[in-house]
């Protein structure tokens, strides 16, 4: 039987998206996530040592982010997507087999390297495969659902970590995390990859990076789209780490805090799923979305009540949606041969801006309540919304 022309692309899209959603779920289905700090402490690590491990993790990601993206444009992106989880699996195995500062440090380097290999490569592969199938207009919807799948993986891992830890200790949690990473790698091998290698495919990653940065300098629309990603993603991504402290300050019992955090992340999941329909918003609509989310964040944080937590959840939903839409704008503006490179440059900007936000939070939080700091950090989103409106007005002028 011969498939109709309309059926072939549908089959290709289905294979791509099924693989992507499975990959995204498994990549965050890591039972060590909610308990690795406890593992370090129980292994005798001091607070300073634990903090230095987190810093090493961040430094590894920052250093490798852009080179790995350029490498993904020079070699097979699918290859990097299955190598990365295997590096992470090796790191987790070290943690539970030889629980010591050195093993934890090496594990974080491997984890950071594994994450960097996938950053940029995944978005580039998905966009180019959809484009090949004539379905690039589905990118926002597809990536929104992929982010929702990641959140479901995180929630499932968090729910299982406690019982598994109680039954089998850190060895069982580590083994489950190792298996999840291996399954992620196996799933990555199922990604289709039909990219036509450019004539410059033999160039080094450094050459690919220079070419990509030249495109940013020479194209104002690319530069604006690239800068928008960290402007949208960084602040709320950092604030997420402080939401338990914000929630606890409203006076609820400690045991209630996780449930309210799940409410916030339910909002984030909804925001991911709305990415497809919201792609029609345009620049003005994106500005309105950011402004509305900023207002919800400021009012919700200042309210210091259960209703305020619901508003924070609404704000995070808006920021998550805006983050997906910012990525979509970037992908639409960059060429196939430099897609992973420039996506990684945007991710690097997000990492650096997130670190800066952590520093700003620490400074503000010394004298101010968490609710006040959250409200203050809503301001950058208002400024980003204003910048988008001005950019739209400037483009409309003859």
């Amino acid at each position: 039987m011969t498939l109709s022309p309309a059926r072939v692309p549908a089959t290709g899209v289905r294979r791509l998206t099924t693989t992507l959603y499975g990959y995204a779920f498994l990549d965050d289905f890591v039972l060590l996530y909610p308990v690795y700090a406890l593992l370090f402490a129980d292994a005798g690590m001091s607070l300073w040592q634990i903090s230095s491990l987190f810093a090493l993790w961040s430094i590894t990601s920052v250093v490798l982010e852009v080179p790995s993206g350029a490498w993904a444009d020079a070699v097979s992106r699918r290859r990097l997507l299955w190598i990365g989880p295997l590096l992470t699996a090796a790191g987790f195995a070290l943690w539970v087999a030889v629980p010591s500062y050195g093993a934890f440090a090496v594990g974080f380097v491997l984890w950071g390297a594994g994450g960097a290999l996938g950053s940029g490569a995944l978005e580039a592969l998905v966009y180019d495969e959809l484009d090949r199938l004539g379905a690039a207009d589905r990118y926002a919807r597809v990536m929104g659902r992929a982010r929702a799948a990641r959140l479901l993986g995180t929630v499932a891992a968090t729910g299982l970590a406690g019982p598994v830890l109680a039954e089998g200790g850190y060895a069982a949690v580590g083994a489950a995390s190792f298996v999840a990473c291996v399954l992620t790698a196996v799933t990555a091998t199922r990604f289709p990859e039909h990219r036509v290698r450019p004539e410059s495919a033999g160039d080094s990653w450094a050459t690919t990076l220079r070419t990509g940065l030249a495109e940013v300098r020479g194209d104002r629309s690319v530069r604006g789209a690239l800068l928008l990603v960290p402007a949208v993603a960084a602040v709320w991504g950092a604030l997420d780490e402080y939401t338990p402290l914000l929630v606890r300050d409203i006076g609820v019992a400690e045991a209630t805090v996780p449930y309210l955090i799940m409410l916030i992340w339910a909002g984030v999941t909804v925001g991911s799923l709305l990415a497809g329909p919201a792609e029609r918003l345009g620049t003005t609509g994106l500005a309105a979305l950011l402004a509305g989310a900023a207002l919800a964040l400021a009012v919700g944080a200042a309210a210091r009540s259960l209703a305020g937590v619901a508003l924070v959840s609404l704000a995070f939903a808006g920021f998550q949606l805006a983050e997906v839409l910012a990525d979509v704008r970037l992908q639409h503006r960059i060429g196939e041969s430099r897609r992973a490179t420039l996506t990684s440059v945007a991710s690097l900007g997000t990492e650096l801006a997130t670190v800066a936000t952590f520093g700003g939070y620490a400074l503000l939080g010394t004298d101010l309540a968490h609710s006040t700091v959250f409200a203050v950090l809503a301001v950058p989103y208002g400024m980003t919304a204003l910048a988008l409106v001005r950019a739209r007005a400037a483009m409309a002028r003859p």
Side-chain angles (χ1 to χ4, degrees):
M1 182 179 69
T2 302
L3 292 175
S4 67
R7 180 77 179 271
V8 174
T11 302
V13 170
R14 191 179 304 113
R15 176 190 170 187
L16 173 65
T17 55
T18 300
T19 303
L20 173 63
Y21 301 152
Y23 179 91
F25 178 88
L26 290 169
D27 198 34
D28 273 21
F29 185 66
V30 177
L31 273 63
L32 274 169
Y33 280 170
V35 299
Y36 61 70
L38 301 179
L39 168 63
F40 302 157
D42 290 347
M45 300 297 104
S46 67
L47 180 59
W48 180 90
Q49 287 176 312
I50 294 174
S51 299
S52 68
L53 290 170
F54 291 157
L56 180 62
W57 187 21
S58 297
I59 291 169
T60 302
S61 299
V62 167
V63 169
L64 296 180
E65 181 71 50
V66 174
S68 66
W71 192 24
D73 280 332
V75 300
S76 166
R77 293 163 180 167
R78 178 173 57 197
R79 185 188 309 163
L80 300 189
L81 290 175
W82 64 257
I83 291 175
L86 293 182
L87 292 179
T88 303
F92 291 159
L94 269 177
W95 283 4
V96 295
V98 193
S100 61
Y101 183 83
F104 296 149
V106 173
F108 266 127
V109 169
L110 290 170
W111 191 0
L117 288 180
S119 177
L122 180 64
E123 294 86 348
L125 184 148
V126 172
Y127 188 93
D128 286 340
E129 287 300 313
L130 286 173
D131 191 36
R132 184 186 67 85
L133 294 166
D137 59 326
R138 302 189 194 181
Y139 179 78
R141 184 190 321 155
V142 167
M143 292 308 291
R145 290 175 178 175
R147 291 179 185 237
R150 285 189 179 278
L151 293 171
L152 291 176
T154 300
V155 170
T158 301
L160 287 173
V164 172
L165 181 64
E167 286 295 324
Y170 293 116
V173 173
S177 301
F178 178 89
V179 170
C181 290
V182 172
L183 290 176
T184 304
V186 171
T187 303
T189 65
R190 298 291 301 156
F191 274 117
E193 186 175 27
H194 299 87
R195 182 165 59 117
V196 177
R197 302 295 296 279
E199 293 180 1
S200 59
D203 291 343
S204 67
W205 68 264
T207 301
T208 305
L209 175 57
R210 285 196 298 270
T211 305
L213 293 179
E215 181 179 350
V216 174
R217 290 192 298 269
D219 191 325
R220 183 177 179 182
S221 66
V222 172
R223 185 165 61 251
L226 190 148
L227 292 173
L228 181 62
V229 173
V232 170
V235 174
W236 87 272
L239 289 179
D240 163 53
E241 303 295 334
Y242 300 97
T243 49
L245 301 176
L246 176 73
V247 170
R248 188 176 62 181
D249 276 2
I250 70 176
V252 298
E254 293 282 344
T256 306
V257 172
Y259 297 106
L260 294 180
I261 297 300
M262 290 185 69
L263 169 65
I264 292 175
W265 281 99
V268 175
T269 304
V270 171
S272 297
L273 295 175
L274 291 175
E279 190 176 6
R280 297 190 294 269
L281 287 175
T283 301
T284 303
L286 180 58
L289 174 65
L290 285 173
L295 180 61
L297 177 63
V299 173
R304 303 182 70 170
S305 64
L306 293 177
V309 173
L311 280 176
V312 172
S313 176
L314 179 64
F316 276 26
F319 295 142
Q320 170 73 353
L321 175 56
E323 184 177 337
V324 176
L325 295 179
D327 174 52
V328 172
R329 289 165 68 95
L330 177 62
Q331 300 304 329
H332 283 333
R333 285 166 171 75
I334 54 182
E336 176 184 347
S337 62
R338 292 173 290 278
R339 190 175 306 283
T341 301
L342 296 184
T343 303
S344 289
V345 171
S347 297
L348 174 61
T350 300
E351 291 280 353
L352 294 175
T354 300
V355 171
T357 303
F358 284 142
Y361 197 106
L363 290 173
L364 293 170
T366 301
D367 300 312
L368 302 175
H370 292 291
S371 57
T372 305
V373 179
F374 267 68
V376 169
L377 290 178
V379 173
Y381 285 108
M383 297 172 63
T384 300
L386 181 60
L388 284 171
V389 171
R390 288 180 174 175
R392 180 71 180 87
M395 291 178 60
R397 294 193 195 104

